[in-house]
Amino acid sequence: MESLVMAEIGDGVLTALFPVEHCARWEFGPWAPLMGWFKERPGLTRLIGVAQVAVAVAVAAGLSKTPGPAWKK
């Protein structure tokens, strides 16, 4: 779970700092129209990136402080 949280934090930071460029890199596949929509709205895209980081940090703060079963193997 921590790896997913780390990826979300990184994606959110890139989105917040470089909203147009980050969306342009994802303009392929079935989500291309959606990415174009976000690219045209950098302020909203930046806000979503900041929210993504905040939620990911909150999830990370709630993770267990002790190693799970994989650690004991």
Side-chain angles (χ1 to χ4, degrees):
M1 179 62 138
E2 186 175 24
S3 297
L4 178 59
V5 170
M6 289 175 11
E8 288 300 315
I9 290 170
D11 185 62
V13 168
L14 289 175
T15 301
L17 294 177
F18 311 106
V20 174
E21 297 86 348
H22 190 59
C23 287
R25 292 181 192 114
W26 286 96
E27 280 190 320
F28 63 90
W31 49 81
L34 183 62
M35 290 296 105
W37 188 87
F38 280 112
K39 191 170 83 169
E40 294 171 1
R41 294 160 178 82
L44 175 62
T45 303
R46 185 172 278 124
L47 179 65
I48 291 170
V50 170
Q52 184 178 357
V53 170
V55 168
V57 168
V59 169
L63 292 175
S64 173
K65 307 298 184 241
T66 59
W71 179 262
K72 295 176 184 175
K73 290 183 179 180

